[in-house]
């Protein structure tokens, strides 16, 4: 736990959230607000926020091979992470006050 969420995102490049059950995770919204892409399971409302390959990477819940594939897709696009992060931030800016 940290009270300095922006300090955390200043030194972390992406969010990995392999949840089995989830609503709308605050950690996802914070990461997106900080301009970071996310790699997350399709638990809860993940696909309501993340666009595959544009602002992050998605995989089916509980599927370890799909998680590995999502990580590979993400790492293959590592040079594009700043663009994905800007896209994530734009989603937040368009949907939250």
């Amino acid at each position: 736990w940290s009270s300095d969420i922006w300090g955390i995102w200043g030194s972390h490049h992406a969010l990995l959230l392999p949840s089995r059950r989830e609503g709308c995770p605050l950690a996802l919204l914070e990461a997106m607000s900080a301009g970071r892409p996310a790699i997350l399971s399709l638990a809860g409302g993940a696909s309501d926020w993340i666009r595959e390959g544009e602002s992050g990477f998605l995989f089916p819940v509980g599927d370890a091979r799909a998680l590995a594939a999502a990580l590979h897709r993400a790492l293959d696009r590592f040079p594009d992470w700043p663009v994905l992060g800007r896209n994530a931030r734009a989603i937040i800016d368009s949907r939250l006050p």
Side-chain angles (χ1 to χ4, degrees):
W1 183 88
S2 173
S3 62
D4 182 14
I5 192 65
W6 306 118
I8 289 172
W9 286 115
S11 62
H12 291 75
H13 302 287
L15 172 69
L16 173 61
L17 195 63
S19 302
R20 291 187 173 273
R21 294 183 188 157
E22 195 71 71
C24 179
L26 180 58
L28 173 60
L29 303 181
E30 290 170 343
M32 293 175 73
S33 292
R36 301 297 189 257
I39 305 143
L40 64 155
S41 68
L42 286 165
S47 64
D48 293 338
W49 292 94
I50 294 296
R51 293 185 206 122
E52 173 67 34
E54 292 180 29
S55 55
F57 304 90
L58 302 166
F59 59 92
V61 173
D63 187 335
R65 288 179 195 245
L67 166 57
L71 288 169
H72 281 281
R73 289 192 310 277
L75 291 173
D76 286 345
R77 299 275 312 277
F78 181 72
D80 299 327
W81 282 15
V83 173
L84 274 67
R86 284 191 297 273
N87 293 342
R89 177 59 195 242
I91 292 168
I92 291 293
D93 288 345
S94 72
R95 294 180 65 185
L96 295 177

